[in-house]
Amino acid sequence: MRKTLALLGALYWTAVLPARNSGPDYSAYERSLPKDQQMLHALDRLTYGPRLGDLEAVKKMGLKKWIDAQLHPEALPENGELEARLAPLKSLSMSQDEIAKNYANPVAQVAAALAAQLQQAQKGNGAAAALPVNPPLPATKAVRNPVPLKNLTDLLPPDQVRVLRNGTLEQRRSLLAKIPADQMDDIVTALPSNVRNQLMAAASPELQRKLQLASNPQQVMASDLSSAKLYRAIYSTHQLEEQLTDFWFNHFNVSLEKGADRMLVTTYERDAIRPNVLGKFRDLLEATANSPAMMFYLDNWQNVTPPPPARANAKGKQAKQATRGINENYARELMELHTLGVDGGYTQHDIIEVARCFTGWSINNPNQGGPFVYNDNTHDKGEKVVLGVTIPAGGGKEDGEKVLDILATHPSTAHFISKELAQRFVADDPPPAVVNAMAKTFTDSGGDIRAVMQTMLDSKEFFSVGAFHSKVKTPFEMIVSAVRATNATVDYAMPLANQISTLGQPLYRKLEPTGYSNANIEWVNSASLLARMNFAMQLGQNKVEGVTVDTKKFSSTPQTTAKQLLFANASSQTLDAIAKSLAPPKPKKNEKPVKPTPPAPGLIAGLVLGSPDFQRR
């Protein structure tokens, strides 16, 4: 195995990263791909990788009609298999209030309950109501009893306890299916947390939910988000919509790692990002600006007009000045990352003025998952000048909305957004011609994202030799495309999410507002190389928990298996490296040669998935 990794590793560095030129050369973007490669290229870029039968489906429909269907997902029936996998992930469909009630930190819930009681008491005759010294925790589904009601050995015979603790996947699955439902709640409570985790892959979706809630209810939302993202990328027929949801969430990044955002990211992706990925950029911009997740992540909920200077008392001493005031974080990232770009023509003065416009845009009880609110009492009512445009004094929430108008229609925004889309879907260094054409469409259409995407997809640059296989897959793209290529069945997605995290792209947990990079160089390093190859070998040989691959459909001939997984012929370098890896070791002196045996198809599949050819899209 070490020899295998070394051979493929040497290939990886020379084959995955393009050669560095002294200057930009866009001549390859003038040459069109052959028709059959155009279809594969469209599947590589607009989906999370082709599945068995996808190429034939595109050929039958016609490439233009297939692209049009992806650009209009509302008319494309969704995969019922996906809907069945999403159904148990209850937090995905909860309102923000329901999420707060079911998953908020119990200690924070108690504090909020006490505050509410005190506020209610103060509305009366001024006498404080009697408050409990040790109030009970709120009655929510997320709060568990830390003391097991019964011991596991009281509930099951010793042989079944042994299966739960140390059995194989199939043994555990068989036993769990036999246990009566009315017994299961007590068993789940009595299980040690490590055994609960071990049972996840063998459990039904309903039982997985119970195991998660019993082990760590605070992590259920994160698990639901990651699982849903993987299920959608793997099973959805709306593949371009999923690609764009990932793109725009990354563009307007927020992180589960930052405090209250743990409770706010679910509704942020569902209500702010997902409905707008093919709509007007101005609507998407406002949806993120009005999101409590964004307001908390970039600290605008703390952005208020500074109080007037404290007056001196009779002895000439000034009272202590309040520390709250203007917070520039959101204003800066709004211009640098969300709209104009770092070279978009704004100044530090513009940042301050934009921050003033967004004073009062806040959150009601952020640590309880509260909604977005506008507080006019903390809004700066003075005149502001943003990018040369005067915003008159005396305004309110509309000051911030005017800023969004200015930024959404600015030429720098049209170019910056177009280039970012082109970097995701065309190449790391997209030709200026396609970026300029996209920017013109952005301006002419009032920021219509679907129209901008159509311009890109109609361009000669998109279906060019220069664009073909010019991008290196991110960890998320690599793992999802491997699952799709093998036509694997995923019954439990979290082991895949953990693999993606190991590769350096933990889902929903990028702490910096920049989001994850699209550049090839960011994803090619020695640690990532080894981890990608290890995952590929595990998947090919059915060693990824919760994922099942039918290895019988693969051939023991590398060329055949490579074509099955790459949907094209493998490069001669990849086939040579695989052949050397599979060759039996040379016998030592006086040893008889070992009779070669046909390699296992799953092993060959793993080698193909770990090859440089598969890392490109």
Side-chain angles (χ1 to χ4, degrees), residues 430-567:
V434 69
V435 175
N436 292 338
M438 293 166 68
K440 183 177 186 304
T441 298
F442 187 102
T443 300
D444 293 347
S445 67
D448 189 310
I449 299 168
R450 195 190 324 262
V452 174
M453 289 294 295
Q454 186 73 69
T455 296
M456 182 192 74
L457 295 171
D458 286 341
S459 71
K460 64 183 178 183
E461 290 86 356
F462 180 79
F463 285 111
S464 69
V465 172
F468 188 63
H469 282 177
S470 65
K471 296 287 291 181
V472 173
K473 295 173 183 176
T474 65
F476 181 70
E477 291 166 343
M478 184 267 171
I479 283 180
V480 171
S481 64
V483 172
R484 285 173 62 83
T486 56
N487 211 35
T489 299
V490 182
D491 294 315
Y492 178 44
M494 284 311 294
L496 293 176
N498 294 336
Q499 290 276 0
I500 294 167
S501 182
T502 299
L503 289 172
Q505 195 182 12
L507 302 179
Y508 300 99
R509 296 182 186 278
K510 178 64 172 174
L511 192 56
E512 297 80 9
T514 53
Y516 289 111
S517 173
N518 274 318
N520 292 348
I521 192 67
E522 294 296 325
W523 301 112
V524 181
N525 55 66
S526 56
S528 172
L529 163 64
L530 182 61
R532 285 180 186 230
M533 290 182 176
N534 283 335
F535 169 76
M537 299 300 288
Q538 291 167 13
L539 181 66
Q541 298 177 87
N542 254 325
K543 294 181 179 178
V544 177
E545 188 180 26
V547 182
T548 305
V549 177
D550 181 8
T551 58
K552 296 191 296 294
K553 67 186 176 186
F554 299 126
S555 170
S556 57
T557 305
Q559 293 93 328
T560 304
T561 296
K563 193 161 188 177
Q564 286 177 287
L565 295 172
L566 299 172
F567 302 90

Side-chain angles (χ1 to χ4, degrees), residues 43 53 67 76 105 130 167 199 260 298 418 430 438 450 534 582 585:
L43 286 167
I67 289 175
L76 193 62
N105 184 296
L199 290 177
L298 291 178
S418 297
M438 293 166 68
R450 195 190 324 262
N534 283 335
L582 296 173

